[in-house]
Amino acid sequence: GAVVSQHPSWVICKSGTSVKIECRSLDFQATTMFWYRQFPKQSLMLMATSNEGSKATYEQGVEKDKFLINHASLTLSTLTVTSAHPEDSSFYICSAAGEATYNSPLHFGNGTRLTVT
Amino acid sequence: SQKIEQNSEALNIQEGKTATLTCNYTNYSPAYLQWYRQDPGRGPVFLLLIRENEKEKRKERLKVTFDTTLKQSLFHITASQPADSATYLCALDSAGGGNKLTFGTGTQLKVEL
């Protein structure tokens, strides 16, 4: 089945530094990947849609200059949290559709727990 | 905007019983609805998809119903096992189209021996 690998699984960084999170589709090509953020006991909130070869589309209220997304190839998307602050501490999860067709189920990575001290 | 409601209280049931989880939505008419399972500290895993023109979908011990009049989906796990303990999320296709999904907050299921 379609596998999405996310790295790192957890990271602790100091306030003001930047952190990069990688999301790879291992056995399929993903023209579109999605980045979500999840706070404890809350739902997944879509942050942005990452499109291979073009700019990401950000959801309302998500700062594009703070959460930089790069989708350089059909199997890799990266999310960089720039100048991280404690309020950015959260669980970040990426996903990709196994097929390009509408309503295809999403395959999720195992998430990255970011803690900003 | 779309609003999805799932029971925020944990559902505790005894092993062997049928678990029924509810997903209600408002302000939208989705073309399809999906159910995912999420274990602590992990990403969600896809379980079932049901389209607006389908009333019911089954997969092994799982059954999903979709009532577009009531704007509700029910998710059933029959002969539940402790290994079924997890948080279950329902998700709707977003108004923006494509594969974008909007998720509910999830319901935590605990199956006890």
Side-chain angles (χ1 to χ4, degrees):
Chain A
V3 176
V4 174
S5 175
Q6 192 171 337
H7 179 81
S9 56
W10 61 270
V11 58
I12 301 172
C13 72
K14 292 186 177 180
S15 187
T17 61
S18 296
V19 173
K20 180 184 283 188
I21 302 170
E22 292 187 348
C23 180
R24 294 180 185 273
S25 56
L26 296 187
D27 50 0
F28 67 101
Q29 294 183 332
T31 54
T32 302
M33 290 185 176
F34 302 95
W35 287 95
Y36 288 84
R37 180 167 56 182
Q38 186 176 36
F39 292 104
K41 304 286 187 184
Q42 294 188 27
S43 182
L44 282 78
M45 297 301 298
L46 180 65
M47 299 175 65
T49 302
S50 172
N51 303 297
E52 187 270 334
S54 64
K55 291 183 179 179
T57 304
Y58 291 81
E59 295 299 303
Q60 192 172 11
V62 178
E63 299 175 58
K64 62 179 182 180
D65 294 330
K66 180 169 185 61
F67 299 100
L68 300 179
I69 291 173
N70 184 279
H71 196 151
S73 75
L74 287 172
T75 60
L76 173 65
S77 174
T78 60
L79 168 69
T80 301
V81 183
T82 63
S83 187
H85 291 287
E87 57 266 30
D88 298 323
S89 299
S90 187
F91 191 53
Y92 292 87
I93 315 175
C94 69
S95 68
E99 300 171 14
T101 55
Y102 178 68
N103 81 22
S104 295
L106 295 182
H107 303 281
F108 285 83
N110 273 325
T112 297
R113 174 75 58 193
L114 170 63
T115 302
V116 184
T117 60
Chain B
S1 60
Q2 294 172 292
K3 188 175 180 182
I4 304 171
E5 291 183 352
Q6 292 185 258
N7 194 339
S8 58
E9 293 182 12
L11 176 64
N12 297 325
I13 65 167
Q14 201 171 20
E15 182 180 21
K17 302 291 185 184
T18 295
T20 299
L21 286 70
T22 305
C23 176
N24 295 299
Y25 59 91
T26 56
N27 299 333
Y28 189 56
S29 294
Y32 62 93
L33 186 148
Q34 301 184 21
W35 282 89
Y36 289 78
R37 167 184 173 143
Q38 186 175 24
D39 290 285
R42 312 280 286 194
V45 174
F46 170 75
L47 296 175
L48 279 169
L49 179 152
I50 187 165
R51 295 179 175 80
E52 60 178 338
N53 60 350
E54 298 175 315
K55 295 292 185 186
E56 183 179 296
K57 205 77 168 284
R58 291 175 185 261
K59 179 183 176 183
E60 298 173 352
R61 295 185 294 112
L62 309 180
K63 184 178 84 171
V64 171
T65 62
F66 195 5
D67 189 324
T68 55
T69 301
L70 291 178
K71 293 186 180 295
Q72 180 183 79
S73 174
L74 298 179
F75 178 78
H76 306 271
I77 304 176
T78 58
S80 59
Q81 305 165 0
D84 295 327
S85 298
T87 296
Y88 291 86
L89 306 165
C90 73
L92 310 181
D93 62 295
S94 294
N99 299 105
K100 229 162 73 162
L101 295 177
T102 300
F103 283 84
T105 52
T107 298
Q108 185 179 11
L109 172 67
K110 294 180 183 177
V111 181
E112 300 164 338
L113 293 170

